[in-house]
Amino acid sequence: MKKKIFIAAAVFFSSTVQAQNEISIVQDSSKELQAVIVTANKIEQKQNETGKVLTIISQQELQRSYGKSIGEVLNRQVGMAIGGANGTLGTVQTIYTRGSVAANTLILLDGIPLYDASGISSEFDLNSFAVDQVERIEILKGAQSTLYGSDAVAGVINIITKKAADKKAHVQANLSAGSYNTYRGGINVSGTVKDIQYLAGYSKIYSDGFSSAYDSSGNKDFDDDHYKQDAVLLRLGFKASEKLSFSLFGKYNNNKGQIDAGAFTDDNDYHYNTINSVAGAGVTYKLKNAIIYLNYNFNKYERKYNDDSTDIGGFSSDPFAFYTKFISEKYEGKSHFAELYSKIDLHKNLNLVSGIDYRTNATSQKYLYISSFGPFEPIPLGKDTANTDQLSAFASLLYNNQQGFTTGLGGRFNDHSVYGSNGTFSINPAYTFNSIKIFANVSSAFRVPSLYQLYSDFGNRTLKPERSVSYETGLQVTDKKFTGRVVGFVRDIKDVFVFYTDPVTFGSIYKNADRQKDHGIEMEATVSVNKILLAANYTYVQGEIDTKTFSGKDTTFSNLYRKPKNLFNFTISYKPVDKALISAHVRNVSSFYEPKFNSSPVKLNGYYTLDLYTEYQFNKRFKIFVDLKNLTDQKYFDQEGFNTRRFNANCGISVNL
């Protein structure tokens, strides 16, 4: 009870405020507040017309991030911790939004949900995106299942890809080189010819990398884990009339690399290949007082792992020790998503967003392991068996009295082919006066069981969806030279999926068993003074789980594993002249715990990193940049037994024609 009182008091009385993500020395934040957004309520809307907690990562910031991954960019945002973002390239990027597990953050591509139907939890890997093909990123915190469906429990991340240029032809290109023999290059060609818009982009990354596994013995004989990425983006739009327009979209990503056998364990010949293909189409039709949207998206994810050489990960001189001699895994997931919805202007102050969506998921999986105990080959999963579909209807009323008060009230009904039906609701009022906005959100969300959790050897077709209710309240201040936001949040999740092993039979199965409770505070602030910009954000997260021990007794314990309670980011940017920028960034992470099977969690030390970025813009077409990361060469761990990047550098050029 004391904790809840403290949280409430901090929310209502704190004077700390929001940090904007635009790294611009001379900025008018009141104009920034008017920026058009699309994520919050599924329609184009000004930022000051919603009470939802939204962060925008602009094109300007992404242009200063060509030497970073999407995970590294997100890692600097308030409320975000991205596991693997600091590892060798290709490391799976695990998203912990406000301390929640990875699968509770939904990834959107231009507003369309993305899933990996072949994965254990269906979470989508951020390695499937190239920074230079992204126009901007919108992060929407809190439960968002009413408009976006399953997995939007802690929030959604909408990755908005590059759009075609309005002029006849436009070329953007970048090239950089850096530590670990890392090379990056990308080119985007776009333009408009009469009523047709087009864009074609290609991005390439190659890196020798470093060993993902940590050599605790200090022998320094662990091999480097290389990484290659090829990414293609295609877009075509056609405006048939003032009312009717069509669009086609395609995205292809091919990642290849090496991984190690596990924590502290090297493997010289463990290879993987992941391929993601996305294709979609959209139709927009405008009426006098309404807009109708029709979208379709196909998403295919393929993952292959192979380790069949004489180099054996985990090899021991003890003939009775367990080690793996051979691994062959192939996973394929396919998803279809279709939606039809509309925005109707019921009144100058009242809009209705309503529609239906249909989504299917199917997977085929085959894997073989040969260890010191012999072969293990589970019965393969086939897409004819391992598949689900969902049909949903949703609606949201949006009210704006044009005098500062706005609110949204919505609901969704979802019908799932395995577990049946469930529903969600949301309400988010806000009031803006002068430069201050106060807001509150109460909303529910759900996460459906994955195909693996339903159909694998450990699957359970009686699983119910995880269900949650989230509460947010906060204060936002926006002025010409000062912006800020403080938010307090509480999240309560029931029927949490757990992997349960019977202590007598040792049989394992997924089941609904636990209740997860999380709460915290997010604080952001930005100050612009002459040629200097100061930006800072702080996140506090605490969480605990109510569960039963093997003996059947109820117990409660903190379980934010790999998720630090305290995160702090600070950036100072300076423009000595109009064409030059120097920016330093400090990230401080508190200590946290690593889970251990059949043992007590291990505490990992907190750490800080210091980065320095500088650029010089010769003219509108040509820019050079240098990005120095972990300047003090800190040795730290985001996961026990796995390395993170020490001091590393990246420099390059950017061209606009």
Side-chain angles (χ1 to χ4, degrees):
M1 175 61 75
K2 290 182 179 180
K3 288 184 178 180
K4 291 183 177 180
I5 293 174
F6 169 76
I7 294 294
V11 169
F12 286 106
F13 297 107
S14 175
S15 60
T16 313
V17 288
Q18 174 196 17
Q20 295 291 334
N21 290 294
E22 288 281 352
I23 303 181
S24 175
I25 301 305
V26 181
Q27 67 173 16
D28 187 339
S29 297
S30 63
K31 291 181 181 179
E32 195 64 32
L33 190 64
Q34 302 292 329
V36 174
I37 58 175
V38 296
T39 303
N41 288 300
K42 219 171 166 65
I43 59 173
E44 291 187 353
Q45 191 178 26
K46 292 181 180 179
Q47 190 171 356
N48 64 341
E49 294 178 353
T50 176
K52 295 186 177 182
V53 181
L54 178 73
T55 298
I56 299 175
I57 302 176
S58 68
Q59 174 61 200
Q60 186 179 19
E61 184 170 354
L62 290 171
Q63 286 181 2
R64 298 188 177 114
S65 304
Y66 286 156
K68 300 180 178 67
S69 66
I70 294 289
E72 288 179 272
V73 175
L74 292 173
N75 224 6
R76 294 186 173 190
Q77 312 309 314
V78 68
M80 308 296 294
I82 313 298
N86 301 317
T88 188
L89 290 177
T91 303
V92 174
Q93 311 280 284
T94 306
I95 306 170
Y96 304 122
T97 303
R98 291 178 169 177
S100 186
V101 299
N104 283 344
T105 300
L106 177 62
I107 301 298
L108 306 176
L109 179 64
D110 296 323
I112 304 297
L114 288 180
Y115 302 97
D116 176 7
S118 69
I120 292 177
S121 63
S122 296
E123 64 183 279
F124 197 81
D125 188 5
L126 290 173
N127 286 310
S128 296
F129 301 99
V131 171
D132 60 328
Q133 294 178 355
V134 177
E135 181 65 27
R136 74 178 189 273
I137 301 174
E138 298 175 356
I139 305 169
L140 185 61
K141 307 284 182 55
Q144 306 298 333
S145 284
T146 292
L147 288 178
Y148 294 106
S150 177
D151 295 17
V153 175
V156 299
I157 298 174
N158 190 10
I159 297 177
I160 300 170
T161 54
K162 292 276 190 180
K163 301 298 188 292
D166 293 331
K167 50 189 177 182
K168 290 185 177 180
H170 177 65
V171 178
Q172 288 181 311
N174 65 86
L175 182 66
S176 67
S179 302
Y180 312 115
N181 283 330
T182 301
Y183 303 93
R184 303 171 188 259
I187 184 169
N188 293 300
V189 180
S190 66
T192 300
V193 180
K194 294 184 178 180
D195 294 321
I196 298 176
Q197 293 182 317
Y198 64 89
L199 180 142
Y202 172 72
S203 181
K204 174 79 174 182
I205 298 176
Y206 174 82
S207 178
D208 284 345
F210 53 89
S211 174
S212 58
Y214 173 59
D215 180 10
S216 58
S217 66
N219 292 331
K220 298 181 179 180
D221 58 351
F222 284 16
D223 73 310
D224 294 335
D225 295 326
H226 69 258
Y227 175 74
K228 293 191 294 184
Q229 180 188 77
D230 293 277
V232 177
L233 176 68
L234 300 172
R235 183 183 296 280
L236 185 67
F238 174 66
K239 189 174 182 181
S241 67
E242 290 299 321
K243 294 183 177 180
L244 182 64
S245 60
F246 301 89
S247 64
L248 295 173
F249 175 86
K251 173 186 168 300
Y252 174 82
N253 187 278
N254 189 337
N255 296 349
K256 296 181 180 180
Q258 286 181 273
I259 52 179
D260 285 327
F264 304 107
T265 309
D266 189 31
D267 195 322
N268 290 328
D269 296 283
Y270 196 169
H271 299 272
Y272 72 91
N273 183 199
T274 63
I275 299 175
N276 178 230
S277 306
V278 180
V283 180
T284 302
Y285 187 71
K286 297 181 180 180
L287 301 171
K288 182 178 179 181
N289 295 312
I291 304 177
I292 300 174
Y293 304 91
L294 175 62
N295 295 310
Y296 167 75
N297 183 278
F298 171 73
N299 173 30
K300 181 179 179 182
Y301 216 107
E302 300 173 88
R303 296 183 290 126
K304 298 178 182 179
Y305 301 86
N306 189 271
D307 190 3
D308 62 354
S309 73
T310 55
D311 184 77
I312 300 170
F315 177 77
S316 173
S317 58
D318 182 353
F320 298 103
F322 175 84
Y323 61 87
T324 301
K325 299 179 180 179
F326 176 87
I327 295 175
S328 177
E329 303 171 293
K330 183 178 181 180
Y331 307 86
E332 181 180 284
K334 294 182 179 180
S335 303
H336 296 268
F337 175 86
E339 65 176 358
L340 173 65
Y341 72 99
S342 64
K343 173 209 170 188
I344 303 173
D345 298 329
L346 301 176
H347 183 269
K348 66 177 183 179
N349 297 336
L350 186 64
N351 304 119
L352 172 66
V353 178
S354 62
I356 58 174
D357 70 49
Y358 178 72
R359 58 192 83 186
T360 68
N361 290 289
T363 186
S364 59
Q365 303 185 7
K366 184 177 181 180
Y367 30 98
L368 170 65
Y369 307 101
I370 300 178
S371 72
S372 52
F373 295 115
F376 173 69
E377 186 173 14
I379 299 175
L381 288 179
K383 59 184 178 181
D384 294 334
T385 301
N387 62 79
T388 60
D389 61 81
Q390 301 173 67
L391 178 64
S392 300
F394 59 90
S396 180
L397 278 170
L398 307 174
Y399 175 74
N400 182 352
N401 72 352
Q402 308 298 324
Q403 296 179 350
F405 178 74
T406 65
T407 190
L409 177 64
R412 171 182 286 259
F413 175 80
N414 188 70
D415 186 66
H416 190 273
S417 60
V418 175
Y419 68 74
S421 60
N422 63 287
T424 65
F425 70 90
S426 65
I427 179 170
N428 42 76
Y431 181 66
T432 302
F433 56 96
N434 297 326
S435 60
I436 299 174
K437 178 167 71 175
I438 55 175
F439 56 88
N441 298 306
V442 181
S443 52
S444 62
F446 67 99
R447 174 183 157 202
V448 305
S450 69
L451 296 174
Y452 185 87
Q453 292 166 334
L454 289 171
Y455 294 103
S456 72
D457 284 356
F458 312 110
N460 178 3
R461 299 189 196 181
T462 67
L463 281 175
K464 298 180 292 184
E466 291 186 350
R467 299 172 293 115
S468 68
V469 178
S470 295
Y471 308 88
E472 296 175 327
T473 186
L475 172 73
Q476 182 168 308
V477 178
T478 305
D479 203 350
K480 290 184 177 181
K481 294 186 177 181
F482 177 81
T483 62
R485 181 170 60 198
V486 58
V487 183
F489 62 89
V490 175
R491 182 176 56 243
D492 187 359
I493 307 177
K494 298 179 181 179
D495 295 325
V496 174
F497 302 140
V498 296
F499 186 74
Y500 174 77
T501 301
D502 189 286
V504 178
T505 66
F506 297 103
S508 298
I509 192 173
Y510 284 96
K511 60 187 295 188
N512 298 106
D514 301 332
R515 181 171 183 173
Q516 180 74 36
K517 299 179 180 179
D518 303 316
H519 61 267
I521 298 176
E522 296 175 349
M523 296 183 289
E524 308 170 76
T526 298
V527 180
S528 178
V529 181
N530 296 325
K531 296 183 177 182
I532 297 176
L533 179 76
L534 304 175
N537 65 63
Y538 168 74
T539 306
Y540 169 82
V541 177
Q542 178 62 283
E544 58 187 22
I545 192 166
D546 295 333
T547 187
K548 292 182 181 296
T549 63
F550 284 142
S551 62
K553 294 182 179 180
D554 292 328
T555 183
T556 300
F557 58 91
S558 176
N559 70 322
L560 294 188
Y561 300 131
R562 299 177 186 164
K563 307 159 193 171
K565 288 184 180 180
N566 300 279
L567 286 169
F568 176 74
N569 289 282
F570 175 75
T571 301
I572 178 170
S573 300
Y574 174 61
K575 295 197 75 171
V577 295
D578 289 341
K579 295 183 178 182
L581 173 71
I582 302 172
S583 181
H585 177 84
V586 176
R587 175 175 171 83
N588 187 272
V589 178
S590 67
S591 60
F592 54 95
Y593 287 87
E594 173 85 10
K596 303 289 286 186
F597 181 71
N598 267 349
S599 183
S600 298
V602 173
K603 184 178 181 179
L604 297 183
N605 294 327
Y607 63 87
Y608 79 91
T609 56
L610 172 62
D611 303 336
L612 181 66
Y613 174 88
T614 183
E615 68 177 32
Y616 187 82
Q617 187 85 44
F618 289 93
N619 49 50
K620 292 182 179 180
R621 296 183 176 183
F622 185 70
K623 179 179 73 174
I624 60 173
F625 61 88
V626 177
D627 195 3
L628 307 176
K629 290 176 281 190
N630 195 3
L631 276 170
T632 57
D633 199 31
Q634 296 294 305
K635 181 180 179 180
Y636 63 93
F637 300 95
D638 285 329
Q639 184 176 348
E640 186 188 30
F642 291 93
N643 286 312
T644 55
R645 294 178 207 141
R646 304 292 290 270
F647 168 72
N648 61 102
N650 180 70
C651 61
I653 60 173
S654 179
V655 179
N656 282 276
L657 301 176

